[in-house]
Every structure is written in structure tokens, then in C-alpha cells.
Amino acid sequence: MATNEHRTASAPRRRRWLIAALVLLLVVLPAGAAGGLYWLVEQDRNPTADSGRPGSWVTTMTSAEISDFAQVPIPAGASDVRWGYVEGFQDDTAVMAFRLSADAVDSFAAGLGGAQWKDAAPAPRNSALRDLRHIGAPDPSGVLTLRRGIFVSHQPGHTKRVESQVWLGSRTGIDPVQVWVYAMNVP
């Protein structure tokens, strides 16, 4: 009879341990998953200092690869070069920003193949320019003169075309001129 009493006394204990283990599993597992997701999002928003692309979307592409994607060369005298890349569900997007001396702007603009240049709408209304904040590019809202050039190019070895939008702007009308580039696959 001692063994039956022992079994009946240990059964509630086992159930309690089982319930405690299940509750622990149901609480700890989601909390761990949430913590892991939070860490991944923070790593994407704040890449390491040595990535070369502060605040970039994806840190696996070089500035040369972004330049090739957008078909916009980065001039030798460019400074404060920043870039980012997003691989989308169907289309990829690349952004780039750099500064040029006022002397180099005309030759840079002329080197962009079939770009159609015109005065641009005020910067705050343009969503493409707002996307450039992901790479830490200067805010274009205070720019005095803003010109935009748009052109479509074909990437070698790819079936999709890339539409590139390039903005040139200066806050003071003198050095340096800020260049913003937004490029996206188009059908």
C-alpha cells in the first residue's frame, strides 16, 4: 500500500512540473524570439561603424556596385559618399549621395547620357528624396536651387531596366553641390 500512496502523491507533483515547464516554454520562447527580432531590426537600422555606409539599408554592396546599378559614376573628386541598397520583392532600389565642387557639376551632369534636366519640385514632396535619409544623406529641404535629371538605362546581363533620378542642389549657390541619386528597377 505504500507504493500506491507514493504514486498518488507524486502524480500531482509531476503535473505541477509539467504545467510549470509548459508555461515557461510559452513565455520564454516568444520573449526570446521577440528579442532576436528586435536585435535584427536594430542591426539593420544601425550598422557597425566599419560598414562604410552609415544608416544604410543593406551593407553588402560597395559604392562601385551601386554606381553600376544606377549607371551614375561617382566622380574622382566626390566627397562624403554614402550609399544604400534594398532588395525588393520584385524590384531593387539603390540610393547614393555625395558632394561635388561647383566646377565639376556641369561635366558630371553632361556625362549622364540621356538625362532630361529641369528644375525640380520642392524637396519635401518628393518621396524618393525622403528615402535617402536611410543612408544619412543631407536633408534637401533647405536647398535653394534644385535640378533633377531622369534617365532609363539597361543593365548588362539583366532583363529589367533601371530608372535613375539624380538631383543637384546647393544651399548657398557656391561649393559644394550636393548630389542625390535614386535608382530603381522598372518593367
Side-chain angles (χ1 to χ4, degrees):
M1 195 171 234
T3 55
N4 272 344
E5 286 176 11
H6 184 267
R7 282 186 193 160
T8 58
S10 65
R13 249 189 250 152
R14 272 192 243 150
R15 270 191 236 128
R16 281 189 215 134
W17 278 106
L18 182 61
I19 290 172
L22 285 174
V23 167
L24 188 63
L25 184 65
L26 292 174
V27 171
V28 171
L29 189 62
L37 287 174
Y38 176 80
W39 180 81
L40 287 173
V41 168
E42 284 303 306
Q43 289 299 311
D44 186 45
R45 285 186 194 154
N46 303 306
T48 58
D50 62 350
S51 70
R53 297 166 296 279
S56 66
W57 293 333
V58 176
T59 58
T60 57
M61 299 203 42
T62 66
S63 61
E65 290 171 315
I66 298 296
S67 178
D68 288 343
F69 177 86
Q71 298 294 305
V72 176
I74 301 172
S79 63
D80 192 24
V81 179
R82 297 167 182 262
W83 64 94
Y85 183 80
V86 171
E87 191 173 302
F89 173 66
Q90 291 181 329
D91 302 316
D92 298 344
T93 302
V95 293
M96 193 168 45
F98 50 88
R99 291 189 177 131
L100 286 177
S101 68
D103 304 344
V105 171
D106 289 333
S107 62
F108 169 75
L112 296 177
Q116 303 290 324
W117 292 95
K118 62 181 179 178
D119 289 340
R125 290 190 212 146
N126 196 310
S127 64
L129 278 174
R130 284 193 306 253
D131 283 343
L132 287 151
R133 70 177 167 237
H134 295 290
I135 61 170
D139 182 18
S141 61
V143 172
L144 296 176
T145 58
L146 192 62
R147 288 190 314 160
R148 181 176 75 170
I150 300 175
F151 63 96
V152 177
S153 60
H154 291 277
Q155 279 195 311
H158 294 282
T159 57
K160 289 191 174 185
R161 299 175 303 156
V162 174
E163 180 184 89
S164 297
Q165 298 181 45
V166 180
W167 290 269
L168 306 172
S170 175
R171 293 187 194 289
T172 62
I174 57 173
D175 288 344
V177 173
Q178 181 67 46
V179 178
W180 296 274
V181 178
Y182 179 90
M184 182 176 181
N185 293 117
V186 292

